[in-house]
Amino acid sequence: MPARSTAAPAPDRYPYPVARIGIIGGGQLGRMLVRAAKQLGCTCVVLDPTPNSPAAQVAGQQIVAHCHDATALRQLAEMCDLTTFDLENIDSAILRQLSDEGCPIFPSPDVLAVIQDKLRQKELLAAAGIPTAEFVALDQPDAARCAEFGYPLVQKARVGGYDGHGVVVMHTAADFAKHLPVPALIERFIKADKELAVMVARGRCGETRCYPVVEMQMHRATNMLDLLLAPARVTDAIAAAATQLAVRTVEALDGVGVFGIELFLTHDGQLLVNEVAPRTHNSGHYTIEACFTDQFEQHLRAITGLPLGATDLLMPAAMINLLGAADHSGRPVVNGLRAALALPGVAVHLYGKADTRPGRKMGHVTVLHPDLEQARQLAEQVRTLMTITGENAL
Amino acid sequence: MPARSTAAPAPDRYPYPVARIGIIGGGQLGRMLVRAAKQLGCTCVVLDPTPNSPAAQVAGQQIVAHCHDATALRQLAEMCDLTTFDLENIDSAILRQLSDEGCPIFPSPDVLAVIQDKLRQKELLAAAGIPTAEFVALDQPDAARCAEFGYPLVQKARVGGYDGHGVVVMHTAADFAKHLPVPALIERFIKADKELAVMVARGRCGETRCYPVVEMQMHRATNMLDLLLAPARVTDAIAAAATQLAVRTVEALDGVGVFGIELFLTHDGQLLVNEVAPRTHNSGHYTIEACFTDQFEQHLRAITGLPLGATDLLMPAAMINLLGAADHSGRPVVNGLRAALALPGVAVHLYGKADTRPGRKMGHVTVLHPDLEQARQLAEQVRTLMTITGENAL
């Protein structure tokens, strides 16, 4: 399925495979994307440095190379009808070159480049009139500049951050000692009442579909997603406003594919866009069980030019991540699986990673229940029952 | 995860992978089983004569061999913790030998052997007091015997039938000319008001879970499943009776795993067990979208000794098969995919088969809708929109 930028609609006729999808990054997002792709009659090739990566285990075809390897990226793009990615840490200049040469890449390398640089990302949002936490650039660590901006503040590395890495909260000037020695931005520390997220799918003709607004409870120490509740426990008015902001954000980026928009809801009811993920998102995993069309199939539909699917919630859901236990590494050991699966409405997803590490995302669990509070309690119960340890104690 | 027949409960601790699953047969049932297995942290090896079979495309590992190849079956069983199958046409004597040597195989080769032989199957059901259509053995074609039994009748080959093959309906003595020249049984032709099915999961300790009773509309000419409605449009009393019969059937077989029990509902409200599939079943595909735990994960839970999952229906569903169009073969061409996906609540599953043939199962479509009649209408609409043709016109 080559890019169809011509005006004439393509015939609704797909010689098998429906599309050959190249996926840069072979982690859990890629793995779940492959699953959806195969169901829709696509084939997949994964590019990832780790042989037998989680995505390659289901794709069946992997180019073993780093995501900055120009030759490998070219090989991938040329052997597939469409290329996409499951992580942001890719050399977007190489992708732009390939795109300029006619290889369809979604989301576009330009969108990726903007999102990779948190300063450019915030500048674009600000220019589009989308509310975010107040910010200024901080090209290099500068105590005076921070003091002038005022504490508490958050320093964010412009590039390379993920899952709480690349972010430092400074409550007072004393915390400046914790600064990151990299080009960064500083922004107002927001004492959020809730952190929300909206998954937005945007198709190749600009049509959009939004998933329900969800509530993310972050782990205090790691700032990783700790508990996800769908739908968010907010008023309809706030949900509608969050959805509208999320759509405006993806439209401002001119993004194609699925995007995860994270928002703060402040104590005084203000919504601020926090960050944008140009891909499927941890906060959307629950859609596999809980929605008509899950975020992975939706991403595929969006990038291949197929119609977007229904995003309605079939049933409230709660989700937790299964993280590698502290003090363990090596071959993973899944503990408490039987106990967890004995609870009603529990779906366990394990990612097939060959090694565990402290805090590594090894799987997730979604719980469906007609009552969200019951779903939450069951998810918390699973958290106490299930652990991922490793064969080596550190 | 070796067979645990000892009395002491195994620890709830699974070094990765949770289990290595061997799957005899690499068709669509195996493909969907692999998908569930990978999600649960299992790895899979598929045995199938066709290289790159639908299941192998997601399993990543295939032994290319026929399902009667003793050496290959042994290789599969010995490299896996557990072996199961996605079709009945396997040499059960070889499986019994492997089982006797300590290779865990579920369902057991004895159950498979009974089900492979439709006469033994019916004799076992009759002995267990389970109502079926009246029948007698017909070792060889015998017009006098058929006349004595009385028309209309159905001749069923004892072994090797599937999807309407191996079955001949004889309305009058003139139809005897259509007889199958093989060992068979003849049974009373039942003018069913409805054909129903119940998927039953039975675990290694005998615990059972049933999916909702569903309604199968069969194609008049091919006798293949044409439209599936979940739940069946029957009274609660009939649903309860059908469920009870289905459980009794699986218990009579002492089956472990998921079983598909097909039943006739006669004009006078009688329920008769028609056939038993010792595996996941076409009539259970809708569970992927419509139920908490789908039939494939449920089968895995059952055979690995994990707790059975909830079988509740999240939403009514209708399902149709996507069959290879008449007069076409070769590389499949999917027509009408965009049109079908534009309808709400439509999930398309394509099986990755390299070649189409007239009537071959190439995929299926499930439609969810809060109103079953709406789901049915949408499924019928998809049927008119989607076709699977081939690059060669026959």
Side-chain angles (χ1 to χ4, degrees), chain A residues 122 129-134 188-197 213 234-235 237-243 245 248 262-274:
Chain A
K122 290 210 64 151
I130 291 162
T132 70
E134 186 192 346
R188 200 59 70 211
F189 174 75
I190 303 296
K191 204 161 163 9
D193 203 34
K194 283 186 193 297
E195 296 197 32
L196 306 176
V213 179
V234 295
T235 64
I238 285 172
T243 302
L245 273 185
R248 279 176 55 200
E262 302 180 16
L263 305 102
F264 293 128
L265 175 62
T266 66
H267 285 291
D268 57 352
Q270 254 200 304
L271 284 165
L272 302 172
V273 170
N274 178 28

Side-chain angles (χ1 to χ4, degrees), chain A residues 10 12 14 16 31 35 38-39 57-58 292 301 307 331-332 334 336-339 341 345-346 348-350 352, chain B residues 10 12 14 16 31 35 38-39 57-58 292 301 307 331-332 334 336-339 341 345-346 348-350 352:
Chain A
D12 193 355
Y14 298 88
Y16 215 83
R31 181 180 174 94
R35 188 164 108 138
K38 297 251 168 154
Q39 178 180 318
Q57 289 168 28
V58 284
F292 274 89
R301 290 186 183 212
R331 181 186 179 194
V334 183
L337 181 62
R338 280 213 303 279
L341 291 177
V346 166
V348 172
H349 293 251
L350 294 165
Chain B
D12 192 354
Y14 299 88
Y16 215 82
R31 181 180 174 95
R35 187 164 110 137
K38 298 251 167 154
Q39 178 180 317
Q57 289 168 28
V58 284
F292 275 91
R301 289 187 184 213
R331 181 186 180 193
V334 183
L337 180 62
R338 280 213 302 280
L341 291 177
V346 166
V348 172
H349 293 251
L350 294 165

Side-chain angles (χ1 to χ4, degrees), chain B residues 76-97:
Chain B
L76 180 76
E78 289 182 349
M79 71 194 285
C80 293
D81 300 314
L82 272 180
T83 300
T84 186
F85 40 86
D86 92 334
L87 75 182
E88 288 99 303
N89 185 20
I90 312 165
D91 187 329
S92 60
I94 300 173
L95 294 190
R96 189 177 302 115
Q97 174 68 29

Side-chain angles (χ1 to χ4, degrees), chain A residues 4 9-18 31 34-43 57-60 209 288-289 292-293 297 301 305-310 313-315 331-354 368-370 389-391, chain B residues 4 9-18 31 34-43 57-60 209 288-289 292-293 297 301 305-310 313-315 331-354 368-370 389-391:
Chain A
R4 288 174 182 133
D12 193 355
R13 181 182 182 280
Y14 298 88
Y16 215 83
V18 169
R31 181 180 174 94
V34 169
R35 188 164 108 138
K38 297 251 168 154
Q39 178 180 318
L40 267 187
C42 301
T43 56
Q57 289 168 28
V58 284
R209 288 276 176 106
I288 293 176
E289 283 81 16
F292 274 89
T293 302
E297 177 173 336
R301 290 186 183 212
L306 290 166
L308 299 180
L313 198 63
L314 297 168
M315 194 170 278
R331 181 186 179 194
V333 178
V334 183
N335 307 283
L337 181 62
R338 280 213 303 279
L341 291 177
L343 299 173
V346 166
V348 172
H349 293 251
L350 294 165
Y351 298 152
K353 295 181 183 178
L368 297 190
H369 197 286
T389 56
E391 287 199 327
Chain B
R4 289 175 180 129
D12 192 354
R13 180 180 181 281
Y14 299 88
Y16 215 82
V18 169
R31 181 180 174 95
V34 169
R35 187 164 110 137
K38 298 251 167 154
Q39 178 180 317
L40 267 187
C42 300
T43 55
Q57 289 168 28
V58 284
R209 288 278 177 104
I288 293 177
E289 284 82 16
F292 275 91
T293 302
E297 177 173 335
R301 289 187 184 213
L306 290 166
L308 299 180
L313 197 63
L314 297 168
M315 193 169 278
R331 181 186 180 193
V333 177
V334 183
N335 307 284
L337 180 62
R338 280 213 302 280
L341 291 177
L343 298 174
V346 166
V348 172
H349 293 251
L350 294 165
Y351 299 150
K353 295 182 184 179
L368 298 189
H369 197 287
T389 55
E391 287 199 326

Side-chain angles (χ1 to χ4, degrees), chain B residues 248-308:
Chain B
R248 278 176 56 201
T249 298
V250 179
E251 287 176 343
L253 286 162
D254 195 20
V256 172
V258 158
F259 289 73
I261 315 298
E262 302 181 16
L263 306 100
F264 293 128
L265 175 63
T266 66
H267 285 292
D268 57 352
Q270 252 199 304
L271 284 165
L272 302 173
V273 170
N274 178 27
E275 289 202 5
V276 179
R279 50 167 173 78
T280 55
H281 193 254
N282 199 170
S283 72
H285 291 353
Y286 79 94
T287 60
I288 293 177
E289 284 82 16
C291 295
F292 275 91
T293 302
D294 71 46
Q295 65 168 348
F296 302 99
E297 177 173 335
Q298 195 75 291
H299 181 65
L300 270 165
R301 289 187 184 213
I303 67 176
T304 55
L306 290 166
L308 299 180

